[in-house]
Amino acid sequence: MARRYDPERRDRIIDAAIRVVGARGIAGLSHRSVAAEADVPLGSTTYHFASLDELLTAALRRSNENFAEVMRESEALADPEADLAEELAGLLGEYFSGGRGRAELEYELYLAALRRPALRPVAAEWTDGTAELLSRRTDPATARALIALMDGICLQVLLTGGAYDEAYAREMLGRIAG
Amino acid sequence: MARRYDPERRDRIIDAAIRVVGARGIAGLSHRSVAAEADVPLGSTTYHFASLDELLTAALRRSNENFAEVMRESEALADPEADLAEELAGLLGEYFSGGRGRAELEYELYLAALRRPALRPVAAEWTDGTAELLSRRTDPATARALIALMDGICLQVLLTGGAYDEAYAREMLGRIAG
DNA sequence: CGGCGATGCGTACACTCGTACACATGGGAT
DNA sequence: ATCCCATGTGTACGAGTGTACGCATCGCCG
């Protein structure tokens, strides 16, 4: 077969990996499944990413960037007049409004760091980055606690299959933000 | 080989599964690895647990029971005089004092519910049970928020590889408990 | 323009896995 | 005492996996 000149292949493989994780979970991620999704031969995925951990790391980093984008777009976060707890609760509402899919995907990548030390620095990047963003509206310790509570609330929704209760989230975030 | 009469084999297989997950993670869980750990033939594990999901469900349920035991033993939780936030922060301290191992194992099973609907009812059982326990000291909504925050704090410790800060946990739990 | 190294391609191998199945055994119901 | 079926045992098969390797191709640097 003719060889293709494809300078952005690496990026496309990462995108394919994210789609595969979204559709079949990390358990369904393999060099072959990614190769098929990205429409590249098997050898190409192993060439660009020596191990699956490497690929997952890249996928988590990209996922983080996507989320960071969303938070940056929310100008309300920068408005010192707005109620921080309400803004965050609203943000989570939007996050869940598109169905479980997206949140499930991003959390699966994030939680994968539990067992994969290679992902931990990337997970820490996300936490630190978000904390820094929130630090413009409150002190650093409070910022971290807000993130922890949001994580916990998302977890309860995702793990137990329950619904997201925005008023409840607003109330509890408010207790921390003061 | 002589057949062994072994009425508690099912239980021993569950224990073996928990040890395997602790040592190699859910990714390393297979009928064969469990069979080897429990010292039973392969066919025996497939006989007692038709699918790995079934085995994971049983493992998560047992893990929940172990944790519930710990919480019940903590009489301090029942003492209306004690400061709830301080008690919970202390409990988490004990939880982490034995190294990452135990928390990592239990959270891995718990978080597996994200992608395995079969585990979600069991995860919900745990949340509901713990919330009920805490409801003796506070209202139900606050109880759920305390659990969410504890989950989030544990997650930050486990995912980023950071250390557990008991004073910080106490402060933030206190803001929710009021 | 020449070549070389990065990139792409296809295949083969050894391994593990879930599943299925045929057969053995003996506890407990009848 | 007898028989049945829940339980236990061993093996085989096909599918999927990570990895390695040889060869092809061509952008780019000298």
Side-chain angles (χ1 to χ4, degrees):
Chain A
M1 178 186 286
R3 171 199 166 145
R4 299 197 249 164
Y5 177 48
D6 192 357
E8 307 190 10
R9 177 168 288 195
R10 189 187 157 91
D11 279 339
R12 288 191 13 252
I13 291 176
I14 298 176
D15 290 336
I18 291 182
R19 287 196 300 274
V20 169
V21 173
R24 298 193 243 167
I26 289 181
L29 188 73
S30 72
H31 284 131
R32 281 175 176 83
S33 59
V34 173
E37 176 69 29
D39 189 34
V40 299
L42 168 62
S44 191
T45 65
T46 67
Y47 173 77
H48 286 286
F49 301 93
S51 73
L52 287 181
D53 263 18
E54 223 174 278
L55 182 53
L56 275 178
T57 305
L60 175 56
R61 187 163 275 126
R62 176 155 309 175
S63 163
N64 285 353
E65 285 166 10
N66 291 345
F67 188 82
E69 181 93 12
V70 171
M71 290 207 66
R72 253 182 272 111
E73 277 173 9
S74 166
E75 324 99 21
L77 275 182
D79 175 10
E81 299 297 322
D83 180 49
L84 183 54
E86 187 164 352
E87 292 303 326
L88 292 177
L91 219 58
L92 286 187
E94 287 178 38
Y95 192 51
F96 282 120
S97 67
R100 289 178 53 96
R102 170 165 180 191
E104 191 172 303
L105 161 63
E106 297 187 357
Y107 263 94
E108 186 172 11
L109 285 171
Y110 178 53
L111 298 178
L114 180 67
R115 275 296 185 173
R116 301 174 199 251
L119 294 191
R120 295 220 262 267
V122 189
E125 276 173 32
W126 181 81
T127 304
D128 293 346
T130 309
E132 197 184 351
L133 217 68
L134 262 50
S135 288
R136 294 199 293 238
R137 301 286 307 277
T138 183
D139 64 288
T142 300
R144 295 189 70 85
L146 286 171
I147 296 173
L149 182 57
M150 287 193 292
D151 270 352
I153 289 174
C154 288
L155 234 53
Q156 278 186 14
V157 170
L158 293 172
L159 295 187
T160 67
Y164 172 66
D165 182 343
E166 188 164 326
Y168 157 79
R170 192 205 168 291
E171 158 70 18
M172 296 307 168
L173 287 167
R175 291 193 194 173
I176 287 186
Chain B
M1 179 185 285
R3 170 197 167 149
R4 298 195 248 168
Y5 177 48
D6 192 356
E8 307 188 12
R9 174 168 292 194
R10 190 187 157 92
D11 279 340
R12 287 188 16 250
I13 290 176
I14 298 175
D15 290 337
I18 291 181
R19 287 197 300 275
V20 169
V21 174
R24 297 192 244 166
I26 289 181
L29 188 73
S30 73
H31 284 130
R32 282 175 173 83
S33 60
V34 173
E37 177 69 29
D39 189 33
V40 300
L42 168 63
S44 192
T45 65
T46 67
Y47 173 76
H48 285 285
F49 300 92
S51 72
L52 287 181
D53 263 18
E54 222 174 278
L55 182 52
L56 274 178
T57 305
L60 175 56
R61 186 163 275 128
R62 176 155 310 176
S63 164
N64 286 351
E65 285 166 10
N66 291 344
F67 188 82
E69 180 95 13
V70 170
M71 289 207 69
R72 253 182 272 110
E73 277 174 7
S74 167
E75 322 100 21
L77 276 181
D79 175 9
E81 299 296 324
D83 178 50
L84 184 53
E86 185 163 355
E87 292 302 325
L88 292 177
L91 218 58
L92 286 187
E94 286 177 39
Y95 191 51
F96 283 120
S97 66
R100 287 179 53 97
R102 170 165 179 191
E104 191 172 303
L105 161 63
E106 296 186 359
Y107 265 93
E108 186 171 11
L109 285 172
Y110 179 53
L111 299 179
L114 180 68
R115 274 295 185 174
R116 301 175 199 253
L119 294 191
R120 296 221 260 266
V122 188
E125 276 174 30
W126 181 81
T127 304
D128 293 346
T130 309
E132 197 184 351
L133 218 67
L134 262 49
S135 289
R136 293 199 294 238
R137 301 287 307 279
T138 184
D139 65 287
T142 300
R144 295 188 70 86
L146 287 172
I147 296 173
L149 181 56
M150 287 194 292
D151 271 351
I153 290 174
C154 288
L155 233 52
Q156 277 187 15
V157 170
L158 292 173
L159 294 187
T160 66
Y164 173 64
D165 182 343
E166 189 164 326
Y168 157 80
R170 193 204 167 293
E171 159 69 19
M172 298 305 170
L173 288 168
R175 291 192 194 173
I176 287 186

